[in-house]
Amino acid sequence: MKRPSIIKRVTNGITVIGYCLLVIGMTACSDWTDHYEPALENGGDATLWQQLKANPQLSDFCQVLEQTRKFRMHRKTEVSFAQLLDGSQAFTVIAPINGTFNKDSLLRLVETARGDSMVEKSFVFNHLSRMTTSMKEGSQTLRLMNGKTVSVTKSTIQDIPVITANQRAKNGVIHVISHAIPYDFNLYEALCDQPDLSAIGSNLRQFEWDEFDPDASVSSGIIEGVPVYIDSVVHEHNHILDNIGLLNAEDSTYWVVVPTNEGWQKAWENTSKYFVFDKSYMKADSLQRYWTNRALLDDAVFNMTDQKSTNDSLVSVPYLSWRRSYVAGRPIYHVFQKPFAPGGILYGATPLQCSNGILYKTKEWPFTPEQTFFKELWTETESSWYVTDEKDCVYSGIRLIADSVSQNGFLQIIPTGRSNWEITIRLDNVLSCKYDVCAIILPQAVFGNPDPKKIRPCKFKASINYVEADGQENTFDCGGTVFQSNPEKVDTVMLAEAFSFPATNYNQSTSKISLTIKCSISTSERAKFSNEMLLDCIYLRPRRIED
């Protein structure tokens, strides 16, 4: 079951769904604060903001709170965090004293286009919590507003000494600490924000999207028939993360291995050649961009709950979904042996500890295409839904457990008359590159001890149906060759060597690529050849573009 990559973000303010935004200002601030009851009784008459302002050691912190505006639905509002802390919403404030963080840098950042959002998440939210937590004997965990967690003891927060603890206000509690809490990047943030990974980050950012959750949000009623929300809950998604792992979730643990900018760009350019979609597809360029990123990242993420011995091997996230389809004699994908040994995917990598795992940086993409996306393609024809057309024959999928039979099944094709039959098999997930196209044909001996008179080869022709990059459908007749199967053994018949498919149909529900097999026996040859075929599978062996 796919686990979506989401984080729950509560934005405090008024969001009108399907309606123009209401005027946001001090009146909006009062709307939010009226929704919340004070967190602590007998907390004094002063608000959190009033108590912060009264402490000269916290003037730098207060200045940042005054200048940083609250974000709602990725939009900057006119409401500052100073105003928010001056209302009745409940918070724990962890206030760093002057000179322990770069105030000037933060103030410069809030003047930029995305600066308030960055300062909000990495600094302000890193020192605020919705949980009103007092310091006491023992240890406890406090969840901050950016989803991070910090450890709290009687005298420290995240191992930082506390100067003044449990200073109560009428809407919360303040702990004054001797140094700002360092912001601990999670894996997704590191991928997007580390300068030497900016090439990956810019790719990932393109696939972000938000989903408003009205059921989890708090409504304040309806204005002119339109719902108005005080607390708007938004789930942040990323189309890539939705499939490769919860790299933005603070309660998960992953390892990720990726190359720095130069290595990523080189790998991206090489890999994108295999995902050229024909122009008849809507957003063909977007499909190419998406699947190129997936090809490079699908096997780069490792959920640490799935690992048995990381020194011996690592299994990537797709492993659990696909391992049941593997058979003896075929490559085992998504499993990487001895990752730290010379030649291993983590050999020489530089680790970066993140809040939810470890990011391993390499100079080059540490995989080969054959280990990841550039797979052998096996079309198991006993699954009759692969048959898209037939003429003058009947066919049926036969189950047979035998070492010589791929996936323990084959397609039996029997003519319905004296005419030569033909059948068309769809081919899925073909990349825009070269393949050796083969048909694997079984002998009659798979049924036991056949009549020697029936041990005859099948004679047939084949044609490959494909599509050009401009969307034009075309057919290659395999050089007009007439093929004969070997009736004495399991026979792999090469139909086309290094045939180049101009466009991919990767992960598309409507396949434009197929193989047609046509029996080709003349009247005078009927005693010499069999017009029945036991088709085990169609096999496409990949060839590198440079081959």
Side-chain angles (χ1 to χ4, degrees):
M1 179 178 180
K2 183 176 75 175
R3 297 182 297 173
S5 169
I6 59 175
I7 55 175
K8 180 178 177 181
R9 186 181 70 242
V10 179
T11 56
N12 300 292
I14 299 179
T15 303
V16 180
I17 306 304
Y19 191 73
C20 64
L21 291 176
L22 297 180
V23 176
I24 300 173
M26 287 305 295
T27 56
C29 185
S30 66
D31 285 338
W32 316 330
T33 55
D34 289 345
H35 172 68
Y36 293 92
E37 294 295 331
L40 301 173
E41 295 182 1
N42 304 318
D45 294 330
T47 64
L48 289 167
W49 176 245
Q50 290 167 344
Q51 293 204 27
L52 291 171
K53 283 289 286 182
N55 188 337
Q57 287 185 296
L58 303 179
S59 59
D60 288 356
F61 185 56
C62 288
Q63 193 172 353
V64 173
L65 294 175
E66 286 176 313
Q67 297 300 317
T68 307
R69 297 296 183 265
K70 187 76 180 69
F71 263 65
R72 249 182 252 118
M73 302 288 285
H74 296 290
R75 292 186 178 93
K76 182 177 177 178
T77 73
E78 293 302 316
V79 179
S80 72
F81 280 92
Q83 294 168 336
L84 195 63
L85 296 176
D86 203 29
S88 60
Q89 293 187 43
F91 298 95
T92 293
V93 180
I94 306 168
I97 61 174
N98 293 346
T100 64
F101 58 91
N102 193 330
K103 177 194 71 172
D104 294 335
S105 152
L106 293 171
L107 294 177
R108 283 194 299 269
L109 197 55
V110 298
E111 299 299 325
T112 64
R114 291 184 58 207
D116 282 61
S117 178
M118 296 171 64
V119 173
E120 177 187 70
K121 184 174 185 179
S122 63
F123 182 76
V124 177
F125 279 178
N126 213 44
H127 293 86
L128 295 182
S129 174
R130 284 286 182 198
M131 302 167 61
T132 51
T133 301
S134 297
M135 301 181 68
K136 56 188 179 181
E137 293 288 348
S139 60
Q140 54 188 319
T141 297
L142 179 64
R143 187 176 184 86
L144 303 175
M145 285 185 66
N146 55 17
K148 313 289 182 181
T149 58
V150 291
S151 60
V152 179
T153 69
K154 182 181 179 180
S155 59
T156 65
I157 296 177
Q158 202 70 351
D159 296 326
I160 299 171
V162 173
I163 297 173
T164 304
N166 302 332
Q167 181 181 338
R168 294 196 170 195
K170 69 177 182 180
N171 60 332
V173 60
I174 299 171
H175 308 299
V176 180
I177 56 175
S178 59
H179 198 282
I181 301 173
Y183 185 74
D184 198 4
F185 286 96
N186 64 36
L187 287 163
Y188 183 62
E189 292 164 342
L191 286 170
C192 290
D193 299 330
Q194 290 280 305
D196 58 348
L197 298 175
S198 60
I200 301 175
S202 61
N203 272 281
L204 288 175
R205 291 285 190 198
Q206 298 175 54
F207 298 99
E208 293 178 344
W209 64 283
D210 289 344
E211 178 186 21
F212 174 71
D213 187 347
D215 294 332
S217 300
V218 178
S219 173
S220 65
I222 296 176
I223 297 178
E224 297 183 10
V226 179
V228 178
Y229 295 93
I230 291 175
D231 272 354
S232 300
V233 176
V234 176
H235 299 293
E236 297 180 345
H237 298 257
N238 184 293
H239 290 295
I240 301 290
L241 267 62
D242 285 353
N243 291 277
I244 67 172
L246 308 178
L247 304 186
N248 216 355
E250 298 293 339
D251 56 354
S252 301
T253 304
Y254 290 92
W255 285 5
V256 179
V257 53
V258 289
T260 50
N261 289 334
E262 185 176 349
W264 170 267
Q265 195 60 39
K266 176 182 174 182
W268 205 96
E269 290 172 359
N270 290 336
T271 302
S272 65
K273 300 173 186 176
Y274 294 89
F275 292 93
V276 176
F277 288 83
D278 74 77
K279 298 304 180 184
S280 67
Y281 283 111
M282 289 185 62
K283 300 182 178 179
D285 292 342
S286 296
L287 284 171
Q288 181 184 28
R289 188 164 56 251
Y290 175 79
W291 287 113
T292 299
N293 282 289
R294 285 286 305 276
L296 294 173
L297 291 172
D298 271 11
D299 283 295
V301 178
F302 306 90
N303 189 330
M304 299 317 293
T305 62
D306 299 334
Q307 313 306 319
K308 293 182 178 179
S309 175
T310 56
N311 285 326
D312 293 333
S313 66
L314 287 172
V315 294
S316 58
V317 168
Y319 172 75
L320 293 179
S321 301
W322 288 98
R323 63 180 175 181
R324 291 183 179 87
S325 67
Y326 301 145
V327 295
R330 295 196 188 168
I332 302 297
Y333 298 106
H334 317 305
V335 179
F336 303 94
Q337 306 294 336
K338 302 294 182 184
F340 293 100
I345 59 171
L346 299 181
Y347 180 70
T350 301
L352 174 66
Q353 184 67 53
C354 298
S355 63
N356 59 347
I358 303 176
L359 177 66
Y360 288 92
K361 299 181 186 180
T362 59
K363 290 184 178 180
E364 301 286 340
W365 188 53
F367 307 94
T368 66
E370 289 81 5
Q371 288 177 300
T372 55
F373 68 90
F374 200 37
K375 299 177 173 68
E376 297 176 337
L377 300 180
W378 297 77
T379 302
E380 299 296 341
T381 53
E382 65 271 13
S383 299
S384 55
W385 72 279
Y386 283 115
V387 177
T388 61
D389 196 15
E390 85 287 335
K391 181 181 178 182
D392 297 324
C393 68
V394 293
Y395 61 89
S396 58
I398 306 295
R399 303 301 300 177
L400 180 66
I401 299 176
D403 291 341
S404 58
V405 178
S406 172
Q407 291 285 12
N408 299 319
F410 59 90
L411 188 71
Q412 184 179 31
I413 306 169
I414 301 173
T416 56
R418 300 180 68 84
S419 301
N420 285 320
W421 53 265
E422 63 181 74
I423 194 166
T424 299
I425 310 292
R426 63 179 287 159
L427 304 176
D428 292 340
N429 297 318
V430 178
L431 301 181
S432 50
C433 62
K434 296 177 182 179
Y435 290 91
D436 295 335
V437 181
C438 307
I440 300 179
I441 301 171
L442 302 177
Q444 287 289 332
V446 297
F447 287 128
N449 297 314
D451 184 342
K453 295 179 180 180
K454 293 184 178 181
I455 301 178
R456 294 172 293 165
C458 183
K459 187 179 178 185
F460 62 95
K461 292 182 178 180
S463 56
I464 299 170
N465 311 301
Y466 65 99
V467 63
E468 301 285 354
D470 62 4
Q472 180 68 38
E473 295 185 16
N474 214 335
T475 298
F476 173 63
D477 67 356
C478 296
T481 304
V482 179
F483 302 96
Q484 292 184 28
S485 65
N486 187 331
E488 304 289 342
K489 66 175 187 177
V490 176
D491 192 14
T492 299
V493 181
M494 176 82 75
L495 305 178
E497 185 175 3
F499 178 76
S500 181
F501 290 89
T504 179
N505 66 344
Y506 190 78
N507 204 52
Q508 302 304 301
S509 57
T510 55
S511 178
K512 300 179 181 180
I513 300 176
S514 61
L515 175 72
T516 298
I517 297 176
K518 183 176 182 180
C519 185
S520 183
I521 303 172
S522 65
T523 303
S524 62
E525 295 176 316
R526 286 176 182 164
K528 184 178 178 182
F529 295 98
S530 171
N531 60 359
E532 179 179 339
M533 179 181 285
L534 306 181
L535 182 61
D536 190 4
C537 61
I538 306 300
Y539 166 52
L540 272 63
R541 180 189 300 118
R543 301 277 289 264
R544 291 275 191 104
I545 287 177
E546 58 268 25
D547 289 351

